[in-house]
Amino acid sequence: MAPTPTLFDLKDRAVLITGANRGLGAALCKTILQYSPKIIHAGYRKTPGDFDDPLINWCQLDIQDAGSVAKAAASIDELDVLINNAGILIPTAADPAEEMASLEAMMDMHLHRPLTLIDALLPRLRASGQPMIVNMISMAAFASVPGCEGYCTSKAALHAATQGLRLKHPDIQCIGVYPGPTATDMTAGSTAPLADAMKSAATIVSGMCDGKPSIFPDEAALAVESLVGAGVATLEQQFTTLLSD
Ligand SMILES: NC(=O)c1ccc[n+]([C@@H]2O[C@H](COP(=O)([O-])OP(=O)(O)OC[C@H]3O[C@@H](n4cnc5c(N)ncnc54)[C@H](OP(=O)(O)O)[C@@H]3O)[C@@H](O)[C@H]2O)c1
């Protein structure tokens, strides 16, 4: 049977994934390997993942360390796909000062640093014939979850920034991914039903190849998409002409 045509072929592409050593980042790395990329620069902060492949280049990249970002960016000569996956979840603290510090840390991690990394890698992405940026957001960008208000705020900011990237860089395909609760270290101890990271990664990568601007990769995320997906996409489309002459 002939393969299904795709709008984006990962074959022979150079990919960078932040936080690729574990969780959804590792699942994305293993999934993209099945598409015969040219190379995957698999970012890790302290320790590379416990898997390997000749197509994987383990790349030390702490996105909150400017020196590490500059070194990684200088070492990457070709880039088609940047996946901003690295993330942290700090539960809401009762103490206001502690909560403010957590919010700042998550805004830094989920908003400022991904945008800084994009800027650092723009020249490489611009040199690609078909550049793509994928931001791992969360279905929690659309409504706050009790106990994770700061996390949700920072993901809502990344959602808005992803829409902004689409406006600022129409030459780059900018994709937002909105997973629901998924079985990784981030959700350890959670009593919520958890999606399987490898299954979600398969859906995310297939959505990337299909050229979807927004990807809702699991059952819980799909339920959110059915409530807000079309509305958000319509508003985004309408707002593109809001202030134009
Ligand atoms: N799991 C979920 O339910 C869920 C749902 C929606 C969205 N997401 C999002 O999906 C992404 C991946 O989440 P996950 O569940 O796979 O989380 P995870 O298992 O906790 O893994 C987080 C990854 O981010 C890396 N990281 C943390 N700080 C970093 C830094 N400063 N620089 C570079 N890498 C850093 C970690 O590296 P170290 O190993 O060095 O700590 C690790 O590789 C996150 O953006 C998360 O917010 C997750």
Side-chain angles (χ1 to χ4, degrees):
M1 199 199 299
T4 313
T6 55
L7 296 175
F8 186 90
D9 193 351
L10 276 162
K11 187 169 161 41
D12 291 330
R13 303 285 186 173
V15 180
L16 168 62
I17 307 172
T18 64
N21 54 305
R22 60 189 172 97
L24 276 161
L28 285 167
C29 191
K30 291 172 190 169
T31 303
I32 291 173
L33 271 181
Q34 295 162 20
Y35 287 71
S36 307
K38 185 171 194 176
I39 189 164
I40 302 179
H41 301 288
Y44 68 93
R45 186 167 50 155
K46 292 186 190 129
T47 318
D50 59 1
F51 54 98
D52 221 339
D53 186 279
L55 296 180
I56 294 180
N57 167 44
W58 285 107
C59 170
Q60 199 283 327
L61 175 54
D62 180 338
I63 64 165
Q64 292 179 297
D65 175 339
S68 172
V69 169
K71 203 169 158 198
S75 75
I76 293 172
D77 51 1
E78 246 183 278
L79 190 65
D80 301 292
V81 182
L82 165 61
I83 304 183
N84 280 309
N85 164 77
I88 48 172
L89 194 166
I90 309 173
T92 303
D95 173 59
E98 198 185 322
E99 176 56 7
M100 190 54 75
S102 302
L103 177 62
E104 278 172 12
M106 288 187 282
M107 289 296 284
D108 185 63
M109 183 72 194
H110 298 145
L111 179 68
H112 303 295
R113 301 302 177 150
L115 293 181
T116 303
L117 186 61
I118 289 168
D119 282 346
L121 292 166
L122 260 187
R124 306 283 180 283
L125 287 166
R126 285 254 153 77
S128 162
Q130 208 180 355
M132 178 182 278
I133 294 169
V134 180
N135 288 336
M136 291 294 281
I137 310 178
S138 169
M139 71 177 203
F142 298 110
S144 244
V145 177
C148 304
E149 288 85 352
Y151 175 82
C152 299
T153 303
S154 67
K155 290 295 186 174
L158 180 59
H159 162 66
T162 304
Q163 293 180 320
L165 288 169
R166 283 198 275 266
L167 293 174
K168 285 192 276 188
H169 306 299
D171 52 329
I172 301 179
Q173 170 132 31
C174 298
I175 297 177
V177 182
Y178 303 89
T182 307
T184 67
D185 294 340
M186 189 173 276
T187 52
S190 166
T191 51
L194 299 174
D196 177 77
M198 283 303 291
K199 280 191 191 156
S200 295
T203 307
I204 293 166
V205 176
S206 129
M208 288 163 57
C209 293
D210 288 343
K212 290 188 175 173
S214 304
I215 301 173
F216 294 81
D218 54 72
E219 208 176 314
L222 285 170
V224 170
E225 184 187 26
S226 70
L227 286 172
V228 299
V232 168
T234 305
L235 274 181
E236 186 179 345
Q237 192 57 42
Q238 286 177 355
F239 281 16
T240 56
T241 54
L242 208 56
L243 296 180
S244 59
D245 295 325

mmCIF file of all heavy atoms in Angstrom, residues 14-18 41-44 57-63 65-80 82 84 113-125 127:
data_model
loop_
_atom_site.group_PDB
_atom_site.id
_atom_site.type_symbol
_atom_site.label_atom_id
_atom_site.label_comp_id
_atom_site.label_asym_id
_atom_site.label_seq_id
_atom_site.Cartn_x
_atom_site.Cartn_y
_atom_site.Cartn_z
ATOM 1 N N ALA A 14 16.836 17.736 10.490
ATOM 2 C CA ALA A 14 17.600 17.918 11.729
ATOM 3 C C ALA A 14 16.656 18.484 12.793
ATOM 4 O O ALA A 14 15.973 19.485 12.558
ATOM 5 C CB ALA A 14 18.760 18.876 11.490
ATOM 6 N N VAL A 15 16.612 17.795 13.928
ATOM 7 C CA VAL A 15 15.629 18.098 14.969
ATOM 8 C C VAL A 15 16.355 18.380 16.284
ATOM 9 O O VAL A 15 17.340 17.711 16.595
ATOM 10 C CB VAL A 15 14.686 16.866 15.169
ATOM 11 C CG1 VAL A 15 13.640 17.147 16.247
ATOM 12 C CG2 VAL A 15 14.024 16.463 13.851
ATOM 13 N N LEU A 16 15.876 19.359 17.027
ATOM 14 C CA LEU A 16 16.370 19.569 18.400
ATOM 15 C C LEU A 16 15.191 19.445 19.356
ATOM 16 O O LEU A 16 14.141 20.071 19.152
ATOM 17 C CB LEU A 16 17.001 20.971 18.541
ATOM 18 C CG LEU A 16 17.295 21.438 19.979
ATOM 19 C CD1 LEU A 16 18.307 20.523 20.678
ATOM 20 C CD2 LEU A 16 17.813 22.878 19.986
ATOM 21 N N ILE A 17 15.353 18.617 20.383
ATOM 22 C CA ILE A 17 14.321 18.455 21.414
ATOM 23 C C ILE A 17 14.942 18.851 22.748
ATOM 24 O O ILE A 17 15.973 18.292 23.149
ATOM 25 C CB ILE A 17 13.833 16.992 21.510
ATOM 26 C CG1 ILE A 17 13.403 16.459 20.146
ATOM 27 C CG2 ILE A 17 12.687 16.863 22.525
ATOM 28 C CD1 ILE A 17 13.083 14.957 20.130
ATOM 29 N N THR A 18 14.323 19.792 23.453
ATOM 30 C CA THR A 18 14.829 20.116 24.794
ATOM 31 C C THR A 18 14.218 19.122 25.799
ATOM 32 O O THR A 18 13.083 18.670 25.633
ATOM 33 C CB THR A 18 14.487 21.563 25.198
ATOM 34 O OG1 THR A 18 13.069 21.712 25.292
ATOM 35 C CG2 THR A 18 15.038 22.564 24.196
ATOM 36 N N HIS A 41 19.223 16.267 17.756
ATOM 37 C CA HIS A 41 19.994 16.843 18.853
ATOM 38 C C HIS A 41 19.114 16.690 20.092
ATOM 39 O O HIS A 41 18.101 17.383 20.228
ATOM 40 C CB HIS A 41 20.313 18.311 18.584
ATOM 41 C CG HIS A 41 21.098 18.515 17.324
ATOM 42 N ND1 HIS A 41 22.428 18.159 17.203
ATOM 43 C CD2 HIS A 41 20.737 19.011 16.111
ATOM 44 C CE1 HIS A 41 22.856 18.433 15.987
ATOM 45 N NE2 HIS A 41 21.846 18.955 15.303
ATOM 46 N N ALA A 42 19.467 15.740 20.927
ATOM 47 C CA ALA A 42 18.632 15.408 22.084
ATOM 48 C C ALA A 42 19.163 16.159 23.297
ATOM 49 O O ALA A 42 20.212 15.821 23.850
ATOM 50 C CB ALA A 42 18.654 13.902 22.317
ATOM 51 N N GLY A 43 18.445 17.208 23.673
ATOM 52 C CA GLY A 43 18.903 18.057 24.766
ATOM 53 C C GLY A 43 18.746 17.382 26.122
ATOM 54 O O GLY A 43 17.746 16.723 26.377
ATOM 55 N N TYR A 44 19.760 17.554 26.959
ATOM 56 C CA TYR A 44 19.660 17.098 28.345
ATOM 57 C C TYR A 44 20.308 18.156 29.220
ATOM 58 O O TYR A 44 21.212 18.865 28.784
ATOM 59 C CB TYR A 44 20.350 15.739 28.553
ATOM 60 C CG TYR A 44 21.851 15.790 28.421
ATOM 61 C CD1 TYR A 44 22.668 15.972 29.539
ATOM 62 C CD2 TYR A 44 22.462 15.688 27.178
ATOM 63 C CE1 TYR A 44 24.048 16.041 29.418
ATOM 64 C CE2 TYR A 44 23.841 15.769 27.051
ATOM 65 C CZ TYR A 44 24.625 15.940 28.167
ATOM 66 O OH TYR A 44 25.992 16.038 28.041
ATOM 67 N N ASN A 57 22.304 12.798 18.737
ATOM 68 C CA ASN A 57 23.452 13.543 19.260
ATOM 69 C C ASN A 57 23.035 14.115 20.615
ATOM 70 O O ASN A 57 22.281 15.089 20.679
ATOM 71 C CB ASN A 57 23.822 14.684 18.297
ATOM 72 C CG ASN A 57 24.790 15.663 18.928
ATOM 73 O OD1 ASN A 57 25.763 15.260 19.573
ATOM 74 N ND2 ASN A 57 24.532 16.955 18.773
ATOM 75 N N TRP A 58 23.487 13.474 21.701
ATOM 76 C CA TRP A 58 23.155 14.001 23.032
ATOM 77 C C TRP A 58 23.839 15.339 23.210
ATOM 78 O O TRP A 58 25.047 15.463 23.015
ATOM 79 C CB TRP A 58 23.546 13.013 24.138
ATOM 80 C CG TRP A 58 22.587 11.871 24.196
ATOM 81 C CD1 TRP A 58 22.802 10.589 23.791
ATOM 82 C CD2 TRP A 58 21.229 11.923 24.668
ATOM 83 N NE1 TRP A 58 21.664 9.829 23.966
ATOM 84 C CE2 TRP A 58 20.684 10.630 24.503
ATOM 85 C CE3 TRP A 58 20.423 12.923 25.186
ATOM 86 C CZ2 TRP A 58 19.371 10.314 24.862
ATOM 87 C CZ3 TRP A 58 19.109 12.625 25.542
ATOM 88 C CH2 TRP A 58 18.607 11.325 25.377
ATOM 89 N N CYS A 59 23.043 16.335 23.534
ATOM 90 C CA CYS A 59 23.514 17.723 23.497
ATOM 91 C C CYS A 59 23.202 18.378 24.847
ATOM 92 O O CYS A 59 22.030 18.515 25.202
ATOM 93 C CB CYS A 59 22.748 18.378 22.338
ATOM 94 S SG CYS A 59 22.875 20.124 22.199
ATOM 95 N N GLN A 60 24.251 18.756 25.591
ATOM 96 C CA GLN A 60 24.009 19.396 26.902
ATOM 97 C C GLN A 60 23.328 20.735 26.660
ATOM 98 O O GLN A 60 23.847 21.579 25.931
ATOM 99 C CB GLN A 60 25.339 19.578 27.643
ATOM 100 C CG GLN A 60 25.196 19.794 29.148
ATOM 101 C CD GLN A 60 24.762 21.203 29.528
ATOM 102 O OE1 GLN A 60 25.109 22.157 28.864
ATOM 103 N NE2 GLN A 60 23.989 21.334 30.602
ATOM 104 N N LEU A 61 22.140 20.895 27.204
ATOM 105 C CA LEU A 61 21.387 22.131 26.976
ATOM 106 C C LEU A 61 20.470 22.403 28.158
ATOM 107 O O LEU A 61 19.392 21.817 28.279
ATOM 108 C CB LEU A 61 20.574 22.018 25.665
ATOM 109 C CG LEU A 61 19.638 23.189 25.337
ATOM 110 C CD1 LEU A 61 20.362 24.513 25.351
ATOM 111 C CD2 LEU A 61 18.969 22.976 23.981
ATOM 112 N N ASP A 62 20.961 23.283 29.027
ATOM 113 C CA ASP A 62 20.120 23.773 30.125
ATOM 114 C C ASP A 62 19.523 25.080 29.623
ATOM 115 O O ASP A 62 20.240 26.081 29.489
ATOM 116 C CB ASP A 62 20.981 23.995 31.375
ATOM 117 C CG ASP A 62 20.151 24.512 32.555
ATOM 118 O OD1 ASP A 62 19.059 25.083 32.326
ATOM 119 O OD2 ASP A 62 20.604 24.377 33.695
ATOM 120 N N ILE A 63 18.235 25.090 29.344
ATOM 121 C CA ILE A 63 17.658 26.269 28.679
ATOM 122 C C ILE A 63 17.639 27.486 29.603
ATOM 123 O O ILE A 63 17.427 28.598 29.143
ATOM 124 C CB ILE A 63 16.249 25.998 28.098
ATOM 125 C CG1 ILE A 63 15.219 25.687 29.189
ATOM 126 C CG2 ILE A 63 16.293 24.907 27.053
ATOM 127 C CD1 ILE A 63 13.785 25.772 28.680
ATOM 128 N N ASP A 65 20.271 28.395 31.291
ATOM 129 C CA ASP A 65 21.669 28.800 31.418
ATOM 130 C C ASP A 65 22.096 29.390 30.066
ATOM 131 O O ASP A 65 22.218 28.659 29.068
ATOM 132 C CB ASP A 65 22.499 27.562 31.789
ATOM 133 C CG ASP A 65 23.994 27.845 31.831
ATOM 134 O OD1 ASP A 65 24.438 28.825 31.217
ATOM 135 O OD2 ASP A 65 24.710 27.056 32.469
ATOM 136 N N ALA A 66 22.306 30.721 30.060
ATOM 137 C CA ALA A 66 22.602 31.411 28.794
ATOM 138 C C ALA A 66 23.853 30.828 28.123
ATOM 139 O O ALA A 66 23.894 30.695 26.892
ATOM 140 C CB ALA A 66 22.783 32.901 29.046
ATOM 141 N N GLY A 67 24.855 30.463 28.920
ATOM 142 C CA GLY A 67 26.084 29.908 28.360
ATOM 143 C C GLY A 67 25.825 28.574 27.676
ATOM 144 O O GLY A 67 26.347 28.294 26.589
ATOM 145 N N SER A 68 25.005 27.761 28.324
ATOM 146 C CA SER A 68 24.667 26.447 27.760
ATOM 147 C C SER A 68 23.896 26.610 26.446
ATOM 148 O O SER A 68 24.144 25.901 25.460
ATOM 149 C CB SER A 68 23.843 25.665 28.794
ATOM 150 O OG SER A 68 23.337 24.486 28.249
ATOM 151 N N VAL A 69 22.968 27.577 26.412
ATOM 152 C CA VAL A 69 22.185 27.824 25.186
ATOM 153 C C VAL A 69 23.110 28.285 24.064
ATOM 154 O O VAL A 69 23.039 27.779 22.932
ATOM 155 C CB VAL A 69 21.074 28.882 25.447
ATOM 156 C CG1 VAL A 69 20.433 29.353 24.151
ATOM 157 C CG2 VAL A 69 20.016 28.317 26.389
ATOM 158 N N ALA A 70 24.021 29.219 24.382
ATOM 159 C CA ALA A 70 24.928 29.741 23.352
ATOM 160 C C ALA A 70 25.817 28.617 22.812
ATOM 161 O O ALA A 70 26.027 28.511 21.593
ATOM 162 C CB ALA A 70 25.787 30.863 23.948
ATOM 163 N N LYS A 71 26.299 27.752 23.722
ATOM 164 C CA LYS A 71 27.194 26.665 23.298
ATOM 165 C C LYS A 71 26.447 25.665 22.406
ATOM 166 O O LYS A 71 26.941 25.247 21.360
ATOM 167 C CB LYS A 71 27.736 25.958 24.546
ATOM 168 C CG LYS A 71 29.027 25.239 24.327
ATOM 169 C CD LYS A 71 29.617 24.793 25.644
ATOM 170 C CE LYS A 71 30.572 23.638 25.381
ATOM 171 N NZ LYS A 71 30.876 22.879 26.555
ATOM 172 N N ALA A 72 25.228 25.323 22.836
ATOM 173 C CA ALA A 72 24.441 24.365 22.047
ATOM 174 C C ALA A 72 24.105 24.958 20.678
ATOM 175 O O ALA A 72 24.232 24.287 19.642
ATOM 176 C CB ALA A 72 23.167 23.989 22.802
ATOM 177 N N ALA A 73 23.684 26.243 20.674
ATOM 178 C CA ALA A 73 23.309 26.874 19.398
ATOM 179 C C ALA A 73 24.513 26.907 18.450
ATOM 180 O O ALA A 73 24.365 26.660 17.246
ATOM 181 C CB ALA A 73 22.779 28.288 19.648
ATOM 182 N N ALA A 74 25.692 27.177 19.010
ATOM 183 C CA ALA A 74 26.885 27.244 18.152
ATOM 184 C C ALA A 74 27.255 25.871 17.601
ATOM 185 O O ALA A 74 27.870 25.762 16.537
ATOM 186 C CB ALA A 74 28.052 27.824 18.953
ATOM 187 N N SER A 75 26.884 24.818 18.334
ATOM 188 C CA SER A 75 27.275 23.466 17.904
ATOM 189 C C SER A 75 26.304 22.883 16.869
ATOM 190 O O SER A 75 26.574 21.847 16.268
ATOM 191 C CB SER A 75 27.348 22.537 19.122
ATOM 192 O OG SER A 75 26.033 22.205 19.536
ATOM 193 N N ILE A 76 25.165 23.538 16.673
ATOM 194 C CA ILE A 76 24.157 23.015 15.738
ATOM 195 C C ILE A 76 24.270 23.778 14.421
ATOM 196 O O ILE A 76 24.013 24.973 14.367
ATOM 197 C CB ILE A 76 22.740 23.160 16.352
ATOM 198 C CG1 ILE A 76 22.619 22.237 17.562
ATOM 199 C CG2 ILE A 76 21.666 22.888 15.332
ATOM 200 C CD1 ILE A 76 21.355 22.441 18.360
ATOM 201 N N ASP A 77 24.686 23.074 13.376
ATOM 202 C CA ASP A 77 24.865 23.817 12.122
ATOM 203 C C ASP A 77 23.628 23.760 11.230
ATOM 204 O O ASP A 77 23.449 24.610 10.366
ATOM 205 C CB ASP A 77 26.122 23.331 11.371
ATOM 206 C CG ASP A 77 26.159 21.834 11.196
ATOM 207 O OD1 ASP A 77 25.199 21.175 11.646
ATOM 208 O OD2 ASP A 77 27.134 21.324 10.619
ATOM 209 N N GLU A 78 22.779 22.793 11.439
ATOM 210 C CA GLU A 78 21.579 22.655 10.612
ATOM 211 C C GLU A 78 20.406 22.374 11.518
ATOM 212 O O GLU A 78 20.511 21.541 12.433
ATOM 213 C CB GLU A 78 21.747 21.414 9.728
ATOM 214 C CG GLU A 78 21.860 21.670 8.255
ATOM 215 C CD GLU A 78 21.941 20.338 7.515
ATOM 216 O OE1 GLU A 78 23.040 19.770 7.439
ATOM 217 O OE2 GLU A 78 20.893 19.874 7.054
ATOM 218 N N LEU A 79 19.271 23.015 11.266
ATOM 219 C CA LEU A 79 18.089 22.742 12.103
ATOM 220 C C LEU A 79 16.807 22.981 11.312
ATOM 221 O O LEU A 79 16.610 24.047 10.740
ATOM 222 C CB LEU A 79 18.102 23.634 13.351
ATOM 223 C CG LEU A 79 17.047 23.277 14.402
ATOM 224 C CD1 LEU A 79 17.306 21.909 15.008
ATOM 225 C CD2 LEU A 79 16.999 24.330 15.517
ATOM 226 N N ASP A 80 15.964 21.960 11.285
ATOM 227 C CA ASP A 80 14.650 22.097 10.641
ATOM 228 C C ASP A 80 13.532 22.187 11.666
ATOM 229 O O ASP A 80 12.549 22.886 11.453
ATOM 230 C CB ASP A 80 14.382 20.881 9.731
ATOM 231 C CG ASP A 80 15.434 20.728 8.652
ATOM 232 O OD1 ASP A 80 15.472 21.585 7.752
ATOM 233 O OD2 ASP A 80 16.238 19.770 8.713
ATOM 234 N N LEU A 82 12.553 22.597 15.831
ATOM 235 C CA LEU A 82 12.894 22.844 17.245
ATOM 236 C C LEU A 82 11.686 22.458 18.087
ATOM 237 O O LEU A 82 10.591 23.000 17.894
ATOM 238 C CB LEU A 82 13.227 24.329 17.459
ATOM 239 C CG LEU A 82 13.262 24.806 18.918
ATOM 240 C CD1 LEU A 82 14.332 24.061 19.717
ATOM 241 C CD2 LEU A 82 13.510 26.313 18.988
ATOM 242 N N ASN A 84 10.380 22.678 21.743
ATOM 243 C CA ASN A 84 10.518 23.220 23.090
ATOM 244 C C ASN A 84 9.685 22.356 24.032
ATOM 245 O O ASN A 84 8.492 22.592 24.209
ATOM 246 C CB ASN A 84 10.013 24.671 23.120
ATOM 247 C CG ASN A 84 11.043 25.636 22.593
ATOM 248 O OD1 ASN A 84 12.204 25.631 23.026
ATOM 249 N ND2 ASN A 84 10.647 26.458 21.640
ATOM 250 N N ARG A 113 12.449 31.368 28.388
ATOM 251 C CA ARG A 113 13.565 30.555 27.861
ATOM 252 C C ARG A 113 13.253 29.928 26.508
ATOM 253 O O ARG A 113 14.110 29.933 25.623
ATOM 254 C CB ARG A 113 13.988 29.503 28.874
ATOM 255 C CG ARG A 113 14.429 30.097 30.197
ATOM 256 C CD ARG A 113 15.584 31.085 30.039
ATOM 257 N NE ARG A 113 15.940 31.688 31.302
ATOM 258 C CZ ARG A 113 17.161 32.113 31.625
ATOM 259 N NH1 ARG A 113 18.161 32.019 30.769
ATOM 260 N NH2 ARG A 113 17.385 32.646 32.792
ATOM 261 N N PRO A 114 12.055 29.396 26.292
ATOM 262 C CA PRO A 114 11.772 28.890 24.935
ATOM 263 C C PRO A 114 11.879 29.989 23.878
ATOM 264 O O PRO A 114 12.422 29.767 22.794
ATOM 265 C CB PRO A 114 10.333 28.359 25.047
ATOM 266 C CG PRO A 114 10.184 28.013 26.489
ATOM 267 C CD PRO A 114 11.005 29.029 27.238
ATOM 268 N N LEU A 115 11.407 31.208 24.217
ATOM 269 C CA LEU A 115 11.485 32.305 23.240
ATOM 270 C C LEU A 115 12.947 32.700 23.001
ATOM 271 O O LEU A 115 13.345 32.994 21.865
ATOM 272 C CB LEU A 115 10.672 33.517 23.714
ATOM 273 C CG LEU A 115 9.150 33.302 23.776
ATOM 274 C CD1 LEU A 115 8.443 34.576 24.227
ATOM 275 C CD2 LEU A 115 8.587 32.856 22.433
ATOM 276 N N THR A 116 13.753 32.672 24.075
ATOM 277 C CA THR A 116 15.185 32.985 23.922
ATOM 278 C C THR A 116 15.873 31.933 23.049
ATOM 279 O O THR A 116 16.701 32.253 22.193
ATOM 280 C CB THR A 116 15.861 33.027 25.316
ATOM 281 O OG1 THR A 116 15.163 33.988 26.114
ATOM 282 C CG2 THR A 116 17.321 33.411 25.230
ATOM 283 N N LEU A 117 15.505 30.678 23.274
ATOM 284 C CA LEU A 117 16.111 29.596 22.481
ATOM 285 C C LEU A 117 15.710 29.738 21.004
ATOM 286 O O LEU A 117 16.535 29.543 20.107
ATOM 287 C CB LEU A 117 15.666 28.228 23.042
ATOM 288 C CG LEU A 117 16.327 27.010 22.406
ATOM 289 C CD1 LEU A 117 17.844 27.027 22.604
ATOM 290 C CD2 LEU A 117 15.748 25.712 22.980
ATOM 291 N N ILE A 118 14.445 30.072 20.780
ATOM 292 C CA ILE A 118 13.993 30.282 19.392
ATOM 293 C C ILE A 118 14.834 31.379 18.745
ATOM 294 O O ILE A 118 15.329 31.225 17.620
ATOM 295 C CB ILE A 118 12.485 30.642 19.362
ATOM 296 C CG1 ILE A 118 11.650 29.412 19.710
ATOM 297 C CG2 ILE A 118 12.083 31.187 17.984
ATOM 298 C CD1 ILE A 118 10.185 29.709 19.999
ATOM 299 N N ASP A 119 15.003 32.495 19.464
ATOM 300 C CA ASP A 119 15.796 33.599 18.907
ATOM 301 C C ASP A 119 17.212 33.133 18.582
ATOM 302 O O ASP A 119 17.756 33.476 17.533
ATOM 303 C CB ASP A 119 15.861 34.776 19.903
ATOM 304 C CG ASP A 119 14.573 35.583 19.882
ATOM 305 O OD1 ASP A 119 13.770 35.404 18.945
ATOM 306 O OD2 ASP A 119 14.361 36.391 20.809
ATOM 307 N N ALA A 120 17.796 32.357 19.501
ATOM 308 C CA ALA A 120 19.185 31.903 19.294
ATOM 309 C C ALA A 120 19.293 31.000 18.065
ATOM 310 O O ALA A 120 20.334 30.963 17.403
ATOM 311 C CB ALA A 120 19.680 31.167 20.536
ATOM 312 N N LEU A 121 18.206 30.287 17.772
ATOM 313 C CA LEU A 121 18.266 29.302 16.683
ATOM 314 C C LEU A 121 17.587 29.782 15.400
ATOM 315 O O LEU A 121 17.575 29.048 14.402
ATOM 316 C CB LEU A 121 17.651 27.975 17.152
ATOM 317 C CG LEU A 121 18.483 27.278 18.240
ATOM 318 C CD1 LEU A 121 17.688 26.181 18.918
ATOM 319 C CD2 LEU A 121 19.773 26.706 17.637
ATOM 320 N N LEU A 122 17.061 30.998 15.417
ATOM 321 C CA LEU A 122 16.351 31.508 14.223
ATOM 322 C C LEU A 122 17.197 31.442 12.941
ATOM 323 O O LEU A 122 16.693 31.019 11.891
ATOM 324 C CB LEU A 122 15.880 32.945 14.448
ATOM 325 C CG LEU A 122 14.416 33.135 14.827
ATOM 326 C CD1 LEU A 122 14.082 34.620 14.835
ATOM 327 C CD2 LEU A 122 13.460 32.386 13.904
ATOM 328 N N PRO A 123 18.486 31.851 13.017
ATOM 329 C CA PRO A 123 19.268 31.785 11.774
ATOM 330 C C PRO A 123 19.334 30.364 11.204
ATOM 331 O O PRO A 123 19.259 30.176 9.986
ATOM 332 C CB PRO A 123 20.661 32.257 12.212
ATOM 333 C CG PRO A 123 20.421 33.052 13.458
ATOM 334 C CD PRO A 123 19.240 32.429 14.133
ATOM 335 N N ARG A 124 19.443 29.368 12.108
ATOM 336 C CA ARG A 124 19.494 27.976 11.627
ATOM 337 C C ARG A 124 18.135 27.577 11.039
ATOM 338 O O ARG A 124 18.051 26.942 10.001
ATOM 339 C CB ARG A 124 19.829 27.003 12.762
ATOM 340 C CG ARG A 124 21.077 27.312 13.524
ATOM 341 C CD ARG A 124 22.333 26.892 12.736
ATOM 342 N NE ARG A 124 23.519 27.195 13.494
ATOM 343 C CZ ARG A 124 24.060 28.418 13.636
ATOM 344 N NH1 ARG A 124 23.503 29.454 13.041
ATOM 345 N NH2 ARG A 124 25.145 28.603 14.348
ATOM 346 N N LEU A 125 17.061 27.953 11.740
ATOM 347 C CA LEU A 125 15.720 27.592 11.265
ATOM 348 C C LEU A 125 15.437 28.276 9.926
ATOM 349 O O LEU A 125 14.873 27.666 9.008
ATOM 350 C CB LEU A 125 14.658 27.990 12.300
ATOM 351 C CG LEU A 125 14.616 27.115 13.557
ATOM 352 C CD1 LEU A 125 13.793 27.782 14.660
ATOM 353 C CD2 LEU A 125 14.032 25.736 13.246
ATOM 354 N N ALA A 127 17.424 28.971 7.670
ATOM 355 C CA ALA A 127 18.188 28.345 6.587
ATOM 356 C C ALA A 127 17.532 27.041 6.120
ATOM 357 O O ALA A 127 17.930 26.468 5.100
ATOM 358 C CB ALA A 127 19.616 28.083 7.051
#
